[in-house]
Amino acid sequence: MWCLAPMDPDAIARYAPELAPAIAAEASRPASMDLLEWWRSTGSVPEAMDRFIDLAGPSVLDERICTVYEAWERGYDKSLPHLGVATCKAYPAAGMAFALGPQRYTELPGWFGDLILTPEQVAQTLPAVERAYDWTPQSRRQAELRLTAALHGEGDRDDITALLDGVSPVWRAAADAGRGLLGAHFIP
């Protein structure tokens, strides 16, 4: 499952000291750096998909899911849009990253769907996020094909649309409302 939710700034301040260092540590591990280097050199080609998903799918926040649930319960702003995509045998955020490709993915903060951002960071990263999800009809179709393959046929039309077209509106809504964001890729 992958969820992205706008958060009250106080909740971000409360939970970021535990969650942000874990995400940063995961991203800076030698194996993580090797994954990114390999992916940049191969790209999102069909031959690389299964290896990429296996390496990018497991999440550091999965180990802290109780903290993530608590943060969402205490700080999720229900008045704003959010994303939630669940599949049985696939990793939605890793599939989304594969669909975006390494060049677009480098525009995004966090680590394969795991992120905790202050309102200031949300506003600061919004232009880059909007660039990453700025599709032409052809690039959108190619991303949809890659995402469908990466989700092994488990994502329905709403899931595909949410992952390819829903991130920017959630980000924009959080930025406009002065909210932070908490995204987590986990096994419920």
Side-chain angles (χ1 to χ4, degrees):
M1 180 166 225
W2 181 60
C3 295
L4 178 67
M7 300 287 294
D8 180 76
D10 292 338
I12 294 293
R14 179 176 180 171
Y15 294 99
E18 178 180 348
L19 301 177
I23 296 166
E26 180 67 18
S28 64
R29 286 183 331 119
S32 298
M33 302 304 286
D34 290 346
L35 167 61
L36 290 180
E37 185 177 319
W38 168 77
W39 186 34
R40 285 184 190 115
S41 69
T42 62
S44 288
V45 295
E47 304 79 37
M49 183 185 71
D50 288 332
R51 179 178 178 211
F52 174 82
I53 298 298
D54 287 345
L55 295 171
S59 166
V60 68
L61 291 188
D62 193 33
E63 299 168 8
R64 293 164 177 78
I65 197 58
C66 290
T67 303
V68 171
Y69 283 146
E70 182 180 310
W72 279 331
E73 189 173 304
R74 291 182 182 207
Y76 165 51
D77 186 337
K78 293 174 181 67
S79 71
L80 298 175
H82 71 282
L83 283 177
V85 176
T87 57
C88 291
K89 299 177 185 173
Y91 294 103
M96 178 182 63
F98 188 78
L100 286 168
Q103 212 159 12
R104 287 178 186 257
Y105 171 77
T106 59
E107 296 284 329
L108 304 176
W111 181 253
F112 294 112
D114 290 338
L115 57 95
I116 185 164
L117 302 174
T118 65
E120 295 78 19
Q121 292 168 319
V122 170
Q124 187 177 50
T125 57
L126 177 63
V129 170
E130 290 180 330
R131 278 192 307 273
Y133 289 92
D134 184 22
W135 306 110
T136 65
Q138 181 180 5
S139 65
R140 172 62 169 73
R141 179 69 183 137
Q142 290 170 342
E144 184 175 331
L145 292 172
R146 287 191 299 268
L147 181 56
T148 300
L151 295 179
H152 302 291
E154 289 194 22
D156 64 20
R157 172 71 42 208
D158 290 341
D159 293 335
I160 301 294
T161 300
L163 291 169
L164 296 179
D165 303 326
V167 174
S168 291
V170 169
W171 218 280
R172 162 94 31 217
D176 290 348
R179 298 292 185 252
L181 282 170
L182 175 57
H185 199 201
F186 59 96
I187 300 172

